[in-house]
Amino acid sequence: MNKNTIHASGTNKSDYIRFSLQVRVHDLMDPDYLSFRYKIYYNLNDIKQMKKKGIDVSDVEVFSK
């Protein structure tokens, strides 16, 4: 499911409070998920994982202390 999918539930017709829970799971390595507004630093393990997935890492900045 796309994270922008619009969804809703029906009217609560009971006398009880309705609770809801939202859980989101994202592939943080997916370039479509990463926001262009934030500068992202990767550790060497992340870069290895991206290379395995065939992602171009030529412009990736490595995190260092």
Side-chain angles (χ1 to χ4, degrees):
M1 178 187 335
N2 185 295
K3 65 182 178 182
N4 297 323
T5 301
I6 298 172
H7 57 282
S9 62
T11 304
N12 183 4
K13 296 180 180 180
S14 73
D15 294 330
Y16 298 101
I17 296 172
R18 178 183 290 172
F19 292 96
S20 65
L21 173 68
Q22 182 181 51
V23 178
R24 296 179 184 208
V25 179
H26 300 285
D27 180 358
L28 298 179
M29 304 306 284
D30 185 343
D32 291 334
Y33 175 73
L34 300 176
S35 174
F36 65 89
R37 294 176 289 171
Y38 300 102
K39 193 170 195 174
I40 308 231
Y41 296 96
Y42 297 95
N43 64 41
L44 292 176
N45 188 51
D46 292 338
I47 293 171
K48 287 178 188 176
Q49 292 297 318
M50 287 189 283
K51 285 181 180 179
K52 280 184 182 179
K53 291 184 177 189
I55 298 171
D56 178 21
V57 295
S58 60
D59 62 342
V60 171
E61 296 189 42
V62 179
F63 173 79
S64 63
K65 291 183 179 183

